Amino acid sequence: MMRSFLIALLCSFGVVCSWAQAAPLNGTWKFDRAVDYYGRTPLGLVSHFNTVVIKDGEARFSSDCAVRFNAEEYFFSDVFQPLTKGDVTEKQVNEFLNKNLGVSLVGTKDVYSLANAPATCARPIMEFFVVGDKLLIPFGATFYSYDEQQTLEIGKNASESVVPSILSNYKYTRLPLNYDRYFSWCRPKIAGENGRPQTTDKCRPDFYPYVADSKSHDPLMNIIGNHDYAMNGQEYTEGFSPPFKQKVAATFLVLPPMKRVVLVRVDDFDLVRDEERDVMSGVYLSIVNGKVIDQIEGCQFDQRYMCVVDGTPVARLTDSGKFERISSK
């Protein structure tokens, strides 16, 4: 505790902290829900702080509550003293957070500590965490969870949008994509009561699966549902392609776009009884200006937009939307 106090004191006097320099933190987070470890109903903070905006080292919780903050090394016993006094362990807290908010602090190195919050701040917030696309505010035994909001950055004209407008209704699944975890952990959560896939938020914050709806006017769903997956010689597309025509569910993930190129993964997770048809392997589609440019399967994309197999890049996504094969030396 004394070590954290000294770090905060040095930061407040302008001494550069190594953690504060680790990575800039900017964005907007909107309140999702609050849960209490002991099952109590948390009151107060929700109505005061519905949105958190962070820019250039300042966190704004309301129009009259803006506070500077510093990144500090995270120690469980420092942040969660009220819980540790009740003999609650770090493992128990992480299990609680994972079950109730879909987030875990396992492996978290930084906690963001506020410096000298003004009286206009309605509650004494001391720290917050940013894990993936979640912002988490602990207050005693209560946890306030916020979802990061995707922003649309427009270039010189509409055709140069950094984030294509067809993605405005979607949350991104982060890269690199851990498909093994997606298949084993998230796929069972996608299945509805009848066994057919359905759009769900039960896999957050790691995955955001969607199911294309033929009744929707959503442009991305229409592209995915009407695409001919036999493109590039893809096997076992009979009975699946195009999904809307075949009346089957196309489950997809939206990955962070590369400039104007939309990247999605589409899987055939629909219910198949008695081997009535073959199941198509999952594919990645690249989309530019509302049209499918290319399709690839058999590899998984990392944060460099390289498609890898066992750690070896076999293709890359290009600015044109084409998947460029990488020859092995």
Side-chain angles (χ1 to χ4, degrees):
M1 184 64 183
M2 180 59 70
R3 180 182 179 183
S4 293
F5 172 77
L6 289 174
I7 292 171
L9 183 63
L10 289 171
C11 287
S12 67
F13 279 103
V15 178
V16 176
C17 301
S18 60
W19 297 289
Q21 291 181 318
L25 182 64
N26 293 294
T28 300
W29 288 259
K30 189 173 182 179
F31 178 75
D32 175 32
R33 52 183 159 156
V35 294
D36 186 86
Y37 187 84
Y38 297 112
R40 300 168 300 188
T41 303
L43 300 173
L45 186 60
V46 175
S47 59
H48 288 291
F49 304 128
N50 291 322
T51 303
V52 179
V53 178
I54 295 178
K55 185 176 182 181
D56 300 330
E58 180 181 79
R60 182 172 292 276
F61 297 92
S62 66
S63 59
D64 58 356
C65 178
V67 191
R68 303 293 298 179
F69 65 88
N70 302 297
E72 298 181 10
E73 191 172 6
Y74 166 51
F75 295 100
F76 175 79
S77 58
D78 284 1
V79 177
F80 296 106
Q81 284 191 31
L83 290 173
T84 56
K85 288 179 180 178
D87 296 325
V88 178
T89 66
E90 184 173 8
K91 180 181 179 181
Q92 289 174 315
V93 168
N94 283 317
E95 289 175 348
F96 171 81
L97 293 175
N98 188 53
K99 178 180 178 181
N100 292 278
L101 297 176
V103 67
S104 172
L105 297 177
V106 173
T108 297
K109 297 181 179 180
D110 298 332
V111 59
Y112 296 93
S113 178
L114 305 186
N116 301 320
T120 51
C121 293
R123 294 291 292 270
I125 301 171
M126 299 302 294
E127 302 99 358
F128 65 89
F129 296 91
V130 174
V131 183
D133 61 356
K134 290 282 189 182
L135 185 145
L136 188 68
I137 299 175
F139 182 72
T142 303
F143 300 88
Y144 299 88
S145 177
Y146 293 73
D147 289 332
E148 186 174 12
Q149 303 300 292
Q150 303 294 341
T151 57
L152 185 64
E153 299 180 40
I154 305 298
K156 294 180 181 178
N157 55 63
S159 65
E160 295 177 356
S161 297
V162 176
V163 179
S165 60
I166 63 172
L167 301 183
S168 59
N169 295 324
Y170 293 94
K171 291 186 177 180
Y172 303 148
T173 293
R174 296 189 299 269
L175 292 174
L177 178 63
N178 185 339
Y179 184 76
D180 290 340
R181 175 170 165 75
Y182 174 55
F183 186 86
S184 62
W185 176 74
C186 182
R187 183 184 177 183
K189 301 176 187 292
I190 298 172
E193 294 182 358
N194 60 359
R196 300 200 69 190
Q198 60 184 10
T199 298
T200 181
D201 63 357
K202 295 179 180 179
C203 302
R204 63 180 187 179
D206 296 332
F207 309 102
Y208 291 95
Y210 299 91
V211 176
D213 182 359
S214 61
K215 298 178 182 179
S216 170
H217 296 293
D218 180 86
L220 183 58
M221 286 193 177
N222 285 332
I223 292 169
I224 290 170
N226 291 305
H227 175 61
D228 181 5
Y229 290 85
M231 183 179 189
N232 295 345
Q234 179 72 16
E235 295 182 330
Y236 307 122
T237 60
E238 301 84 357
F240 177 81
S241 177
F244 285 174
K245 182 178 180 179
Q246 299 292 342
K247 297 182 179 180
V248 297
T251 305
F252 64 98
L253 301 173
V254 179
L255 292 312
M258 190 184 80
K259 300 180 181 178
R260 67 191 184 105
V261 182
V262 174
L263 179 65
V264 297
R265 180 182 173 89
V266 182
D267 281 284
D268 178 9
F269 288 161
D270 206 355
L271 184 64
V272 177
R273 291 188 173 93
D274 301 324
E275 299 182 356
E276 60 187 0
R277 67 175 179 86
D278 293 319
V279 176
M280 186 193 78
S281 299
V283 302
Y284 289 95
L285 302 180
S286 61
I287 302 168
V288 177
N289 294 332
K291 295 182 180 180
V292 174
I293 302 300
D294 210 348
Q295 176 178 307
I296 194 171
E297 61 96 18
C299 52
Q300 308 302 334
F301 275 90
D302 64 15
Q303 64 271 29
R304 302 168 298 170
Y305 295 94
M306 297 284 191
C307 210
V308 303
V309 176
D310 296 328
T312 300
V314 296
R316 65 168 62 88
L317 177 61
T318 65
D319 289 344
S320 68
K322 296 292 290 184
F323 297 120
E324 182 181 83
R325 292 286 180 175
I326 299 174
S327 60
S328 57
K329 296 180 179 180

